[in-house]
Amino acid sequence: MFRSSLSTVLALSLAGFPALAQSPEDPVDDRPVQLVVVSFDGAHDNRLWTQSREMARRTGAHFTYFLSCTFLMTKENRKSYQAPHQPRGKSNVGFAPDNADVVTRLEHIWQARAEGHDIGSHACGHFDGAKWSADDWKQEFDFFRNTLRDAWQNAGVPEREPLEWRNFAEKEIIGFRAPYLAAGSSLNAALRDFGFRYDASQVSKGPVLPGESEGLVHFSLPLIPEGPSAKPVIGMDYNLFVRHSLGIEDKKHSAKFEERALSAYRAAFEKQYSGERIPLQLGFHFVEMNGGAYWRALDRFLSEVCSKPGVACVSQREAMDILAKRTKAAEAASQTL
């Protein structure tokens, strides 16, 4: 559960951001709102930026986009990037092909922010930082912040930079997810010292309420039952991809994988919606694995659940605010007893 000090911290962290399209007020029976929290790692393919934002408009959902900053660099200027303990200019996920691609991505980021989505950090070159020191992480965070801040200028279009862009880059990125979910012992201290407010790198046995420790709110991707044997799997598209086809692209059975994924999402949701209403978190990547099976399943799932009474499909940032207000209200009620 949240500690009492969290409410004030979270309220400050969300000041000035767009409200939900539909206010997540408690339903008539006073049960808590069922939160559905969807995030995307990488946030690079501009076609999928368009697709995800259109999905959000249709379903009323808000997403968290965990951006990898090397997609704001071109191959030509990759030597400006130095990851901890790696050769200069190396990235496990590559770079943008050209400046035009970068500019389109920057426009998506800015428009998504205006639409109420949460932009978070997925570091830069997608390296396993499980053994990194706090200073190593801070080096990576510096590259992320500076790359995002100077992206319009580096892409050759400084005149197109929005007025509030630099404040956004330097102060509004408060969420993080570690590449490979590799959160080592030094990560929390580095995140806190760098001004992050939440981390989404953990995995839990099932849906759990975000908790607070070391000055950070921790979100966890849950294990959810999947397939004929209901064997648990991390609620993320990549893990389903490995489960279904051993991580090898299989478009022939795409429809089958879509139905299995959708069934798993539905079952995980219904258990909470009819039960304790613990937030359900699901993770995705900007890659259409197995012929887009998992994105199609997500679209169908959100189309079904986001309009249900007592449901709010929100970003991590919004979930923090909602849960903090809920905690504050519960504390106030207990004090009046």
Side-chain angles (χ1 to χ4, degrees):
M1 293 293 290
F2 284 86
R3 296 179 183 176
S4 59
S5 63
L6 190 57
S7 300
T8 301
V9 173
L10 296 180
L12 291 173
S13 75
L14 279 108
F17 276 77
L20 289 168
Q22 295 181 341
S23 178
E25 298 177 357
D26 286 343
V28 176
D29 62 1
D30 291 327
R31 299 187 68 200
V33 171
Q34 175 64 56
L35 302 182
V36 176
V37 185
V38 170
S39 58
F40 296 94
D41 290 5
H44 53 292
D45 187 324
N46 285 318
R47 181 181 60 84
L48 294 180
W49 265 111
T50 299
Q51 186 172 322
S52 66
R53 290 176 53 220
E54 194 278 330
M55 186 193 308
R57 282 191 290 271
R58 282 189 290 100
T59 63
H62 285 169
F63 301 136
T64 296
Y65 294 95
F66 290 111
L67 173 69
S68 297
C69 88
T70 55
F71 296 117
L72 302 181
M73 307 176 192
T74 63
K75 296 176 182 178
E76 284 68 28
N77 63 17
R78 65 184 182 275
K79 291 295 185 181
S80 64
Y81 172 55
Q82 175 66 70
H85 313 293
Q86 299 293 331
R88 178 169 289 277
K90 181 178 180 181
S91 164
N92 278 347
V93 289
F95 298 85
D98 52 42
N99 282 333
D101 182 81
V102 171
V103 171
T104 300
R105 185 167 301 105
L106 292 172
E107 291 172 342
H108 278 300
I109 291 169
W110 196 242
Q111 291 163 357
R113 174 189 178 274
E115 292 162 359
H117 300 290
D118 178 19
I119 310 299
S121 171
H122 199 41
C124 287
H126 208 276
F127 294 105
D128 184 338
K131 296 182 179 179
W132 284 1
S133 68
D135 285 341
D136 291 335
W137 279 113
K138 290 177 185 179
Q139 176 183 328
E140 186 80 343
F141 297 157
D142 262 325
F143 271 107
F144 180 94
R145 178 179 288 174
N146 295 340
T147 300
L148 184 61
R149 182 195 64 205
D150 299 334
W152 296 91
Q153 180 176 332
N154 291 339
V157 289
E159 71 282 359
R160 294 175 63 176
E161 179 182 306
L163 182 62
E164 299 177 2
W165 180 267
R166 291 187 172 244
N167 183 73
F168 157 71
E170 293 178 349
K171 298 180 180 178
E172 293 184 11
I173 308 299
I174 65 163
F176 179 76
R177 175 171 286 152
Y180 308 108
L181 303 179
S185 59
S186 300
L187 177 60
N188 282 353
L191 287 169
R192 184 188 62 245
D193 293 347
F194 217 80
F196 286 97
R197 299 292 181 88
Y198 75 81
D199 173 62
S201 307
Q202 297 185 359
V203 175
S204 56
K205 291 183 178 180
V208 296
L209 283 168
E212 188 205 4
S213 66
E214 300 183 60
L216 293 166
V217 178
H218 295 278
F219 287 91
S220 300
L221 286 168
L223 295 174
I224 60 174
E226 189 277 335
S229 63
K231 184 178 179 181
V233 65
I234 296 174
M236 200 171 208
D237 56 357
Y238 176 76
N239 302 85
L240 290 168
F241 178 47
V242 173
R243 165 74 60 83
H244 293 162
S245 63
L246 301 179
I248 299 170
E249 185 68 13
D250 181 359
K251 294 183 180 180
K252 180 180 179 180
H253 297 99
S254 183
K256 172 186 174 182
F257 299 145
E258 175 186 347
E259 293 302 325
R260 280 187 56 166
L262 179 59
S263 294
Y265 303 157
R266 284 171 172 164
F269 170 82
E270 288 298 335
K271 181 177 180 180
Q272 296 307 321
Y273 187 54
S274 62
E276 298 182 53
R277 296 206 169 177
I278 296 171
L280 174 63
Q281 300 176 60
L282 298 172
F284 296 82
H285 291 77
F286 261 37
V287 179
E288 290 186 301
M289 305 167 198
N290 280 339
Y294 311 112
W295 274 64
R296 294 196 307 273
L298 173 65
D299 197 333
R300 293 169 63 188
F301 173 69
L302 295 180
S303 298
E304 292 175 4
V305 305
C306 293
S307 59
K308 286 181 176 287
V311 175
C313 295
V314 300
S315 68
Q316 259 94 359
R317 189 169 201 142
E318 291 167 322
M320 286 198 306
D321 187 39
I322 294 165
L323 293 169
K325 289 178 180 178
R326 189 181 297 174
T327 299
K328 187 175 182 179
E331 291 172 350
S334 67
Q335 291 173 1
T336 62
L337 296 178

